[in-house]
């Protein structure tokens, strides 16, 4: 019988060495795809980048509340208090002495001399007569200085300025002079008006309201 040729057999050694992983090494793993980097944190002591904030949505009620309310009108200033009125009964002959005593009591109670004005309706006070002998300029300069009690008669009372206390001595003069002097003295007195004279005459001139 004819012989059937045998198929050549290939030994493993003839195929070459099989690739085997190296000892102690693993197959490399695929690297992840890098994503977007996070923003760097702000440095200590420095603020991070400012992000614009969207404008707040305001309702009509909020807009109305934000409008300033009109301020209330200021209260009117209180009117200055009217001066007190004190009557000292005295005759025309003793009215000037009563006025001098009233001035002494005012000074003893702590009133400064420059706060007192004395007005006479009859004869001038001796001090006024003496000072006017040096001229009206020197006389009124003492009035403006307000360093001492100032004395004036009814004719000069309109030029005198206001003082805390005004003392009126009804030591003479007509009722017309008294009627013109007392309201003027009341307007010059800031705190107290003292009238030295006959109460009946005062009431007949100005009425019982004084």
């Amino acid at each position: 019988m004819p012989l059937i040729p045998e198929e050549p057999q290939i030994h493993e050694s003839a195929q070459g060495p099989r690739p085997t992983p190296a000892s102690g090494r693993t197959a490399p793993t695929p690297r992840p795809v890098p994503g977007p980097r996070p923003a760097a944190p702000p440095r200590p002591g420095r603020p991070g980048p400012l992000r614009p904030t969207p404008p707040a949505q305001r309702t009509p009620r909020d807009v109305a509340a934000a409008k300033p309310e009109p301020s209330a009108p200021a209260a009117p200033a209180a009117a200055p208090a009217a001066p007190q009125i004190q009557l000292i009964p005295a005759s025309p002959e003793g009215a000037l002495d009563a006025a001098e005593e009233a001035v002494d009591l005012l000074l003893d109670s702590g009133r400064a001399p420059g706060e007192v004005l004395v007005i006479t309706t009859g004869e001038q006070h001796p001090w006024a007569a003496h000072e006017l002998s040096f001229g009206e300029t020197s006389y009124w300069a003492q009035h403006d200085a307000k360093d001492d009690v100032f004395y004036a008669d009814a004719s000069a009372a309109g030029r005198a300025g206001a003082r805390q206390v005004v003392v009126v001595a009804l030591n003479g003069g007509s009722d017309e002079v008294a009627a013109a002097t007392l309201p003027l003295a009341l307007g010059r007195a800031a705190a107290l008006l003292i009238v030295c004279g006959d109460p009946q005459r005062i009431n007949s001139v100005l009425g019982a309201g004084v």
Side-chain angles (χ1 to χ4, degrees):
M1 290 180 65
L3 296 175
I4 300 173
E6 296 179 355
E7 295 180 2
Q9 295 181 0
I10 301 175
H11 297 282
E12 292 182 2
S13 59
Q15 295 178 0
R18 294 182 178 177
T20 57
S23 59
R25 297 179 64 185
T26 60
T29 58
R31 297 179 64 184
V33 179
R37 294 185 179 181
R43 296 183 181 180
R46 286 189 176 185
L50 300 178
R51 296 183 179 179
T53 57
Q57 298 295 328
R58 305 179 68 181
T59 62
R61 181 179 299 177
D62 297 334
V63 175
K67 291 183 179 179
E69 296 182 359
S71 57
Q84 296 181 354
I85 300 176
Q86 181 179 353
L87 301 181
I88 298 179
S91 64
E93 295 77 18
L96 192 57
D97 291 338
E100 289 283 10
E101 293 179 2
V103 171
D104 291 339
L105 291 175
L106 290 169
L107 300 181
D108 291 343
S109 65
R111 286 283 181 185
E115 295 181 345
V116 182
L117 169 66
V118 179
I119 300 175
T120 58
T121 58
E123 282 187 34
Q124 287 182 338
H125 189 276
W127 180 91
H130 174 74
E131 294 300 327
L132 281 170
S133 65
F134 298 101
E136 288 194 2
T137 301
S138 173
Y139 172 74
W140 287 108
Q142 297 186 57
H143 165 271
D144 297 338
K146 295 183 178 181
D147 293 332
D148 204 347
V149 180
F150 190 77
Y151 296 85
D153 61 9
S155 63
R159 186 174 173 181
R163 298 208 176 183
Q164 289 295 311
V165 182
V166 177
V167 181
V168 178
L170 296 177
N171 61 335
S174 63
D175 290 345
E176 290 76 9
V177 172
T181 301
L182 290 178
L184 177 65
L186 182 62
R188 297 292 189 273
L192 177 63
L193 171 65
I194 300 175
V195 182
C196 304
D198 183 0
Q200 292 184 356
R201 184 184 181 196
I202 296 171
N203 290 335
S204 64
V205 171
L206 296 179
V210 179

